[in-house]
């Protein structure tokens, strides 16, 4: 697996792994199968795992911890683990959430994540969403203290505006910004991506395959089982899927040209956008994990990168990417 640097002292695999779906949001889960999939990462040399305290209300971190505990020390040391805090969820199964960036909450969450992961230090610790109730400078000062205490190694932010990113970076270097970025979610290109590049910060792209849409495997809303949040997502309603197929149709000829899948084209395009960008596609299936990893070997011609860059000018994606509740704390 090729390598990339999110920061000069933070090297990860060019394709990371987003573990969220192993715990919730994408239908049923199976811990035994999930651990088998995580062990496949070792074989693929994918060394960057992304989790969060809210995924399965701690389940995802515990699962990641079980995986790490089963590795020998040399293999364990190859992995970089990123986790997050900043979102409080209702104790029941409701999706309602509150954004909390208070220093006492950040500190408590960090200690809880360390226990669930079974590690002494978190490689990359993100604020998951941004609260308007706590100045970003206060939250960053807390995270900086956790770095000095050896609890975390690097600080990250998720889904922040360019202005907030600059304010945060002035307090303590931000190693990486994590945000949704793909051929069908390109909002960051106007202000946020230029700011990331100017500050020389790494970019971690989540949902790089458009939550599966860019693989070409989901063309009907009926494809989604109950319990899969996409079934009720605006962007995955049938009218939106039919409209957005124009984007997929533009990608397919390149997949034929490069003898790969549409999903691999989508990942290769992202890798071509910035040398410090690392996508973190998630999947519950080993065959797709392998397919995603192999995208690191697909190198697009400059002309084809420009062709894909220009799609935004004449293909407008239909449907909001989150519900109103899900948009809390985004680009704050």
């Amino acid at each position: 697996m090729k390598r990339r640097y999110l920061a000069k002292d933070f090297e990860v695999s060019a394709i990371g792994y987003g573990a969220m779906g192993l715990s919730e949001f994408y239908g049923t889960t199976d811990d035994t199968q999930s651990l088998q999939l995580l062990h496949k990462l070792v074989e693929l040399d994918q060394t960057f795992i992304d989790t969060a305290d809210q995924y399965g209300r701690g389940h995802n971190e515990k699962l990641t911890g079980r995986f790490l505990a089963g590795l020998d020390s040399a293999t364990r040391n190859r992995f970089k683990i990123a986790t997050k805090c900043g979102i409080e969820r209702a104790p029941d199964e409701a999706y309602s959430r509150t954004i909390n960036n208070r220093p006492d909450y950040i500190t408590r969450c960090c200690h809880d994540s360390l226990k669930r992961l079974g590690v002494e230090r978190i490689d990359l610790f993100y604020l998951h969403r941004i609260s308007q109730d706590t100045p970003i400078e206060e939250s960053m000062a807390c995270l900086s203290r956790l770095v000095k205490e050896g609890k975390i190694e690097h600080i990250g932010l998720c889904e922040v505006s360019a202005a907030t990113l600059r304010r945060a970076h002035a307090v303590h270097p931000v190693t990486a910004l994590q945000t949704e970025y793909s051929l069908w979610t390109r909002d960051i290109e106007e202000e946020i991506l230029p700011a990331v590049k100017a500050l020389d910060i790494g970019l971690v792209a989540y949902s790089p395959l458009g939550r599966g849409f860019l693989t070409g495997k989901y063309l009907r809303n009926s494809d989604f089982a109950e319990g899969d949040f996409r079934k009720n997502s605006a962007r995955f309603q049938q009218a939106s899927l039919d409209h957005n197929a124009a984007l997929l149709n533009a990608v397919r000829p390149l997949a034929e040209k490069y003898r790969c899948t549409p999903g691999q084209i989508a990942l290769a395009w992202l890798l071509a956008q910035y040398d410090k960008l690392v996508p973190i596609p998630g999947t519950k299936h080993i065959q797709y994990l392998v397919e995603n990893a192999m995208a690191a070997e697909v190198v697009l011609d400059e002309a084809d990168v420009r062709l894909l860059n220009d799609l935004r000018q004449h293909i407008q994606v239909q449907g909001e990417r989150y519900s109103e509740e899900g948009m809390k704390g985004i680009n704050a």
Side-chain angles (χ1 to χ4, degrees):
M1 171 65 73
K2 295 178 181 178
R3 293 286 187 271
R4 291 199 161 193
Y5 286 91
L6 292 174
K8 63 182 179 180
D9 58 344
F10 196 69
E11 184 185 38
V12 297
S13 52
I15 304 286
Y17 176 67
M20 181 184 75
L22 301 183
S23 294
E24 63 176 331
F25 298 123
Y26 289 94
T28 58
T29 61
D30 183 309
D31 284 3
T32 299
Q33 292 181 6
S34 295
L35 288 169
Q36 291 174 349
L37 182 142
L38 289 171
H39 280 282
K40 187 68 175 180
L41 294 172
V42 178
E43 180 183 331
L44 295 170
D45 201 24
Q46 281 183 269
T47 59
F48 187 38
I49 299 176
D50 181 87
T51 180
D53 61 353
Q54 76 139 329
Y55 300 159
R57 294 175 171 80
H59 174 270
N60 206 250
E61 288 183 325
K62 291 178 182 177
L63 186 69
T64 302
R66 287 173 60 189
F67 162 67
L68 295 175
L71 303 177
D72 61 76
S73 59
T75 303
R76 165 65 187 92
N77 290 336
R78 288 163 49 193
F79 280 88
K80 299 292 186 183
I81 308 301
T83 192
K84 316 175 192 74
C85 78
I87 297 177
E88 290 185 287
R89 293 175 62 190
D92 57 19
E93 293 303 311
Y95 184 60
S96 60
R97 55 203 5 220
T98 301
I99 310 304
N100 189 342
N101 292 172
R102 294 194 306 271
D104 61 334
Y105 181 73
I106 292 171
T107 302
R108 184 170 74 251
C109 287
C110 177
H111 292 160
D112 290 345
S113 290
L114 286 166
K115 291 178 183 178
R116 286 190 291 263
L117 290 167
V119 299
E120 295 182 357
R121 181 173 61 181
I122 296 167
D123 298 308
L124 177 59
F125 194 54
Y126 293 101
L127 277 186
H128 205 160
R129 292 291 185 269
I130 302 302
S131 169
Q132 300 290 346
D133 296 331
T134 304
I136 190 65
E137 290 81 3
E138 289 185 17
S139 302
M140 287 297 295
C142 174
L143 291 166
S144 183
R145 286 195 296 273
L146 291 171
V147 172
K148 292 174 183 176
E149 293 170 3
K151 302 298 184 183
I152 63 179
E153 185 172 4
H154 293 272
I155 297 171
L157 299 175
C158 298
E159 293 276 15
V160 302
S161 67
T164 298
L165 181 62
R166 293 188 189 97
R167 287 170 55 197
H169 195 64
V171 176
H172 188 284
V174 175
T175 291
L177 169 68
Q178 182 176 142
T179 191
E180 183 173 356
Y181 188 31
S182 71
L183 279 168
W184 86 338
T185 301
R186 297 175 60 176
D187 314 54
I188 70 165
E189 292 178 348
E190 296 176 9
E191 295 183 2
I192 298 171
L193 182 56
V196 166
K197 292 181 177 180
L199 295 171
D200 198 29
I201 292 171
L203 180 67
V204 177
Y206 78 85
S207 294
L209 296 173
R211 297 183 172 82
F213 176 80
L214 293 169
T215 67
K217 298 180 177 72
Y218 302 103
L219 299 177
R220 299 189 62 79
N221 181 267
S222 57
D223 292 337
F224 302 115
E226 293 300 329
D228 189 320
F229 90 99
R230 291 172 294 185
K231 193 169 189 65
N232 298 310
S233 168
R235 200 168 280 194
F236 285 95
Q237 296 309 297
Q238 194 58 51
S240 295
L241 289 170
D242 292 343
H243 174 90
N244 296 334
L247 180 61
L248 194 59
N249 291 338
V251 173
R252 283 197 173 107
L254 291 180
E256 294 178 7
K257 174 181 177 180
Y258 288 90
R259 297 182 180 180
C260 64
T261 67
Q264 288 173 326
I265 292 292
L267 293 172
W269 173 78
L270 277 171
L271 292 172
Q273 299 304 304
Y274 180 38
D275 60 3
K276 287 190 173 183
L277 186 154
V278 176
I280 50 168
T283 182
K284 294 188 287 186
H285 305 284
I286 287 179
Q287 68 185 92
Y288 299 143
L289 184 74
V290 173
E291 179 182 312
N292 294 339
M294 294 303 101
E297 302 302 317
V298 179
V299 179
L300 302 177
D301 296 340
E302 290 185 11
D304 290 327
V305 173
R306 288 195 299 270
L307 184 152
L308 292 170
N309 287 347
D310 292 343
L311 290 179
R312 188 182 181 189
Q313 298 178 17
H314 39 266
I315 299 177
Q316 299 299 316
V317 174
Q318 179 173 299
E320 295 297 328
R321 61 187 178 111
Y322 280 118
S323 65
E324 182 177 352
E325 189 71 19
M327 288 296 290
K328 284 184 177 178
I330 285 183
N331 290 340

